[in-house]
Amino acid sequence: MSLNSTPASERVHIGFFGVRNAGKSSLVNRITNQDMSLVSEVKGTTTDAVKKSMELLPIGPVVIIDTAGIDDEGELGSMRVEATKRVLKTCNIAVLVTENEKLLPDEVTLLKAIKERDIPYLIAHNKSDITEKTEGKLYVSAKTGEGIEELKNEIAKALGMENKKVRFIADFIKKGDTAVLVTPIDSSAPKARMILPQQQAIRDILDAEGICVVTQVEQLTAALENLKSPPALVVTDSQAFSEVMKLVPKEIPLTSFSILMARYKGFLSEAVKGSNAIDRLSDGARVLICEGCTHHRQCEDIGTVKIPRLLKAYTGAELKLEFTSGHGFPDDLGAYDLIIHCGGCMLNDAEMKSRIDEAIRQGVPITNYGTALAKFSGILNRSIEIIK
């Protein structure tokens, strides 16, 4: 993906589901106007989920996901079905492709799972070129292209309920306001670029016609002194909370990229609530530390080194820590006393919401890196004051 591409976490994820040979792959190829998926008369041609990032009018940047048939058979087939079910966790909308007027048992079961996850969905009746139509149903033909534009428009209409109203940072500034962003460049910073939340903050400030000042911790005091008037807010990398809070006067709002990301993902209130569980941790407590991306581990890696060290220092307890990264997230969370998740900048809203909802359902407190670090620094109340 180029540096100017929309990141996958900000793209609408559209999943296509159905039984084998329902025409999912042919339909996906027709929608994308390319041979994204292998098509064959042989059942089970699609095995692992196939993904394609693209611009899809009238929706915009999307990830199209073609999945294996939900009626696959045998040991390997069962693994494919489980993989297909996992795709539901990442979908902003699901399209059930069927060639039947009355849904098959496997299709009914899948539709139930979609509804349980509260995922917007459409039922697309494929092979409309050879099917007698019933009024009120959505018909498409991967062969002739009939109904494809209508399907795209119906997807856009169904997604209207998910239009994000919360801005990343622009809700807290007005035209002409200055926001100061503290972005440490250390061994864990990506080479020659900035991490996604920092990029999002800069763009959102510019879109709001605000003024953006980007600096490191060492130059923060000079940056503040050079301003003719105090900034509307200061946003820092969570790892620099302890240093930055000493440099920013109390009358200036201060928060972190991670806390803004938690709010943007609809996760902040639960993250603050979950952080209270840190005070209840004692010897033997099990804590799951999760990162939504995979990256090369540095000697001062935040998830595997810094947070465990600060967590131990804060609680004084001997804890049992476990780690996951990428899309690996346990189904059974009941054994954990706390989950500390990254900001989720590389996960789309649907997958992040799925993880939060599952933790809540299983009664396990969940917080995020930024909220936990703010708590360790004694700055949590101050860091969320602007958001209240």
Side-chain angles (χ1 to χ4, degrees):
M1 183 175 69
S2 71
L3 292 177
N4 289 324
S5 297
T6 302
S9 60
E10 291 298 298
R11 292 176 178 267
V12 172
H13 285 53
I14 307 171
F16 287 79
F17 302 87
V19 298
R20 291 171 295 169
N21 273 20
K24 300 184 301 300
S25 297
S26 297
L27 184 58
V28 164
N29 288 345
R30 171 66 75 164
I31 289 172
T32 60
N33 289 319
Q34 54 189 278
D35 292 333
M36 173 179 151
S37 298
L38 183 64
V39 175
S40 169
E41 292 298 322
V42 178
K43 288 187 175 183
T45 300
T46 302
T47 53
D48 295 328
V50 180
K51 299 182 180 181
K52 174 67 176 179
S53 295
M54 62 179 296
E55 294 284 327
L56 185 66
L57 295 176
I59 302 162
V62 303
V63 175
I64 301 289
I65 310 172
D66 184 18
T67 63
I70 56 170
D71 61 337
D72 214 336
E73 300 171 335
E75 184 178 351
L76 184 57
S78 296
M79 294 172 64
R80 292 170 180 165
V81 171
E82 288 304 311
T84 293
K85 291 178 180 177
R86 287 195 295 272
V87 171
L88 279 177
K89 298 178 181 180
T90 71
C91 287
N92 297 99
I93 185 168
V95 179
L96 172 58
V97 182
T98 181
E99 56 181 3
N100 305 292
E101 284 299 295
K102 184 177 181 180
L103 296 183
L104 300 173
D106 285 318
E107 294 171 329
V108 171
T109 299
L110 175 65
L111 191 58
K112 180 181 178 182
I114 292 171
K115 291 179 178 178
E116 286 175 348
R117 290 188 173 276
D118 198 26
I119 302 171
Y121 70 92
L122 295 170
I123 299 176
H125 294 267
N126 196 19
K127 304 182 181 180
S128 63
D129 52 307
I130 57 174
T131 302
E132 186 176 339
K133 300 178 182 61
T134 301
E135 187 176 351
K137 292 183 177 181
L138 177 61
Y139 289 90
V140 295
S141 172
K143 182 178 181 179
T144 67
E146 180 184 353
I148 298 300
E149 291 304 315
E150 182 185 358
L151 174 59
K152 292 178 183 179
N153 289 327
E154 288 299 318
I155 291 173
K157 188 186 300 183
L159 287 167
M161 65 188 74
E162 289 204 343
N163 287 340
K164 191 182 292 292
K165 296 180 181 179
V166 174
R167 299 284 295 276
F168 187 77
I169 190 173
D171 296 332
F172 306 117
I173 63 173
K174 59 182 183 295
K175 183 177 180 179
D177 278 350
T178 298
V180 176
L181 309 181
V182 185
T183 61
I185 306 298
D186 54 24
S187 61
S188 62
K191 187 174 179 60
R193 62 183 178 86
M194 306 183 80
I195 62 174
L196 182 59
Q198 295 167 359
Q199 297 176 41
Q200 285 182 268
I202 293 171
R203 178 56 193 261
D204 209 30
I205 292 167
L206 296 177
D207 285 344
E209 299 184 66
I211 300 166
C212 182
V213 175
V214 184
T215 185
Q216 297 191 61
V217 178
E218 294 77 12
Q219 290 77 41
L220 176 57
T221 297
L224 293 173
E225 290 176 348
N226 287 339
L227 296 175
K228 291 184 178 180
S229 57
L233 80 162
V234 174
V235 184
T236 181
D237 185 285
S238 299
Q239 299 181 68
F241 255 141
S242 297
E243 299 167 86
V244 172
M245 71 176 182
K246 299 173 185 176
L247 303 176
V248 179
K250 291 185 178 181
E251 61 271 16
I252 297 177
L254 171 63
T255 190
S256 75
F257 293 103
S258 188
I259 284 175
L260 289 177
M261 181 61 74
R263 172 181 175 268
Y264 184 67
K265 297 285 187 181
F267 174 32
L268 183 58
S269 60
E270 194 63 37
V272 173
K273 177 182 175 183
S275 69
N276 294 327
I278 295 174
D279 295 321
R280 301 192 295 270
L281 296 177
S282 57
D283 289 346
R286 294 182 65 187
V287 179
L288 179 65
I289 299 178
C290 306
E291 288 200 2
C293 61
T294 55
H295 59 269
H296 178 69
R297 303 293 182 187
Q298 303 284 340
C299 59
E300 281 295 295
D301 182 70
I302 182 172
T304 58
V305 178
K306 290 184 178 180
I307 285 182
R309 183 173 63 221
L310 292 168
L311 188 61
K312 183 176 181 179
Y314 183 89
T315 63
E318 290 296 327
L319 305 172
K320 295 180 180 179
L321 305 182
E322 296 181 26
F323 306 88
T324 66
S325 61
H327 294 290
F329 190 74
D331 292 325
D332 185 3
L333 304 173
Y336 299 106
D337 298 286
L338 174 67
I339 300 169
I340 304 180
H341 206 290
C342 70
C345 64
M346 300 306 293
L347 301 177
N348 73 333
D349 293 354
E351 186 164 5
M352 195 65 196
K353 181 177 183 299
S354 174
R355 295 184 176 196
I356 298 162
D357 288 349
E358 197 57 37
I360 294 172
R361 188 183 70 80
Q362 296 188 40
V364 182
I366 183 169
T367 189
N368 76 330
Y369 285 9
T371 307
L373 289 169
K375 186 175 183 67
F376 298 151
S377 302
I379 196 178
L380 181 55
N381 288 337
R382 182 182 178 185
S383 65
I384 62 175
E385 186 64 38
I386 191 174
I387 298 171
K388 291 181 177 179

